[in-house]
Amino acid sequence: MSALQHIKSYWVLAIVMLSSSIALAHPTGNMIVVDNQVFWSYIHPIDDAQHHACVMVWENGSTPQVFLKSEYPASDFMLYAKGQDIYILERRYLQASDTFEIRLLKTTKNQKPTVIWDWFEDQWHLGEAGFFMLSDTQMVFGKYPSVYTLQKGKQPSVYFEFETPINRIRALPNNTLLLLGDTSCFLATQTGNIFQEWNNITEPKITNAPFNRNKVFDVDFQEGQLLMAYWGRRSFEMIDAQGNKQILYKHNPPLTPHWVAFMGKDQLLFASELTFNGSTPKPNLIKLSSTGRSTKIW
């Protein structure tokens, strides 16, 4: 396989779900909000066949800008914010050895990132299912079906046992955590003690789901509201504090929801066009206001 074929294949088959051995096609990465700015991972330029990863940034009244771009082809960025600090996992594919390496960067909104964990082999696909930092030397990350911890320079170990297989984690303020399962989601402490849970977050009778995956792909939580990117209906949905569910925004094929984030009272909804025609997925990021008005960002 050529280097270009490796890159295209990696973009298309970004995560292998071990529970079903079905590969999902989507851009690897996530979206975070720091104060009045939103950061997300993609590639730059969008049609870059060599897949140089980038971190984009946007705030109200501006246009999206490149915050950081990888020097390496077949690369990806995964993001986590702790207060004003932004942690960035950068992964690259090494064709010569057919392996992945990863390193950890740290920055703030207006500072040049610095390397705090240098390159090491990534056999765990760190960050793809979410991660957060307990300190600059200890990471916690999701990888189906569990949650793991990794000390700098060590090997991962199980961080806590949980009653349900976990597909994705998302760190929240006040040392809380969202744990996303197949059909349920849990608000918990960073050690796995449950505060709140939502069951049956997917609809049982769904046809024509993207790649036949009737799954919630990403979640965020704020003030009793659970915000979801739902593949099954190609929709962005909300469960309010009273347990009522509503569809906020719905896409038509080939657009597929990927990431969500609260930005104040507004919601950020990120989708991508998923096609198999050899082109890279095209992004679609909108902001939905509390009044229901949608604004195209990217």
Side-chain angles (χ1 to χ4, degrees):
M1 182 179 288
S2 69
L4 182 57
Q5 287 172 320
H6 261 301
I7 291 164
K8 287 184 176 179
S9 295
Y10 180 63
W11 176 260
V12 172
L13 304 177
I15 289 181
V16 175
M17 300 296 289
L18 298 181
S19 61
S20 60
S21 299
I22 294 177
L24 301 182
H26 69 94
T28 299
N30 63 314
M31 181 168 61
I32 61 172
V33 173
V34 182
D35 292 337
N36 62 338
Q37 293 184 314
V38 55
F39 298 81
W40 66 91
S41 46
Y42 221 74
I43 62 172
H44 183 78
I46 291 174
D47 59 355
D48 177 22
Q50 292 193 327
H51 196 290
H52 288 82
C54 71
V55 176
M56 302 294 295
V57 61
W58 175 85
E59 61 183 303
N60 284 316
S62 70
T63 57
Q65 303 291 327
V66 176
F67 177 75
L68 177 65
K69 180 176 177 177
S70 178
E71 301 176 15
Y72 307 99
S75 51
D76 288 295
F77 285 123
M78 284 71 71
L79 313 171
Y80 161 67
K82 186 176 184 179
Q84 300 297 308
D85 293 327
I86 301 171
Y87 294 87
I88 304 172
L89 282 170
E90 180 181 13
R91 185 174 58 210
R92 62 183 180 183
Y93 172 70
L94 302 179
Q95 183 190 8
S97 57
D98 193 24
T99 58
F100 293 96
E101 286 189 340
I102 202 162
R103 64 178 177 175
L104 180 64
L105 314 174
K106 185 179 180 181
T107 185
T108 58
K109 293 190 299 182
N110 302 310
Q111 299 295 321
K112 182 179 178 180
T114 58
V115 177
I116 59 173
W117 295 21
D118 213 345
W119 293 110
F120 60 99
E121 186 173 350
D122 179 22
Q123 299 176 336
W124 289 73
H125 295 276
L126 297 172
E128 281 187 0
F131 79 102
F132 64 92
M133 303 300 297
L134 293 175
S135 68
D136 281 1
T137 60
Q138 186 178 9
M139 175 190 307
V140 175
F141 66 95
K143 182 175 175 60
Y144 185 90
S146 241
V147 181
Y148 299 84
T149 183
L150 176 62
Q151 290 277 358
K152 183 178 181 180
K154 306 293 184 181
Q155 290 295 312
S157 59
V158 173
Y159 185 54
F160 58 73
E161 299 287 351
F162 198 69
E163 62 185 34
T164 300
I166 296 302
N167 294 321
R168 192 174 185 90
I169 69 172
R170 184 179 189 131
L172 300 173
N174 302 316
N175 297 320
T176 56
L177 186 65
L178 284 176
L179 303 168
L180 180 60
D182 287 335
T183 61
S184 56
C185 186
F186 305 86
L187 176 66
T189 67
Q190 287 188 351
T191 55
N193 295 317
I194 300 172
F195 289 132
Q196 185 175 351
E197 64 182 273
W198 299 264
N199 296 306
N200 304 314
I201 58 176
T202 60
E203 298 298 322
K205 296 181 180 180
I206 291 291
T207 58
N208 301 319
F211 310 107
N212 200 32
R213 301 299 291 174
N214 183 26
K215 301 292 183 183
V216 171
F217 191 78
D218 190 27
V219 286
D220 197 7
F221 177 82
Q222 179 178 274
E223 297 178 352
Q225 299 175 313
L226 185 70
L227 180 62
M228 304 183 294
Y230 182 24
W231 273 47
R233 282 199 287 227
R234 297 183 188 268
S235 58
F236 294 97
E237 306 192 4
M238 180 92 79
I239 301 177
D240 66 20
Q242 289 72 46
N244 302 307
K245 184 190 292 186
Q246 64 172 315
I247 297 175
L248 301 177
Y249 201 92
K250 195 174 189 306
H251 283 297
N252 294 317
L255 283 169
T256 305
H258 288 302
W259 308 319
V260 292
F262 283 102
M263 190 176 192
K265 298 295 184 180
D266 301 333
Q267 297 98 38
L268 297 167
L269 313 176
F270 196 110
S272 288
E273 293 182 2
L274 298 187
T275 61
F276 288 98
N277 61 5
S279 64
T280 54
K282 301 299 186 288
N284 181 289
L285 173 59
I286 63 173
K287 184 183 72 169
L288 194 66
S289 73
S290 56
T291 61
R293 179 185 176 186
S294 64
T295 303
K296 181 71 174 292
I297 296 174
W298 200 46

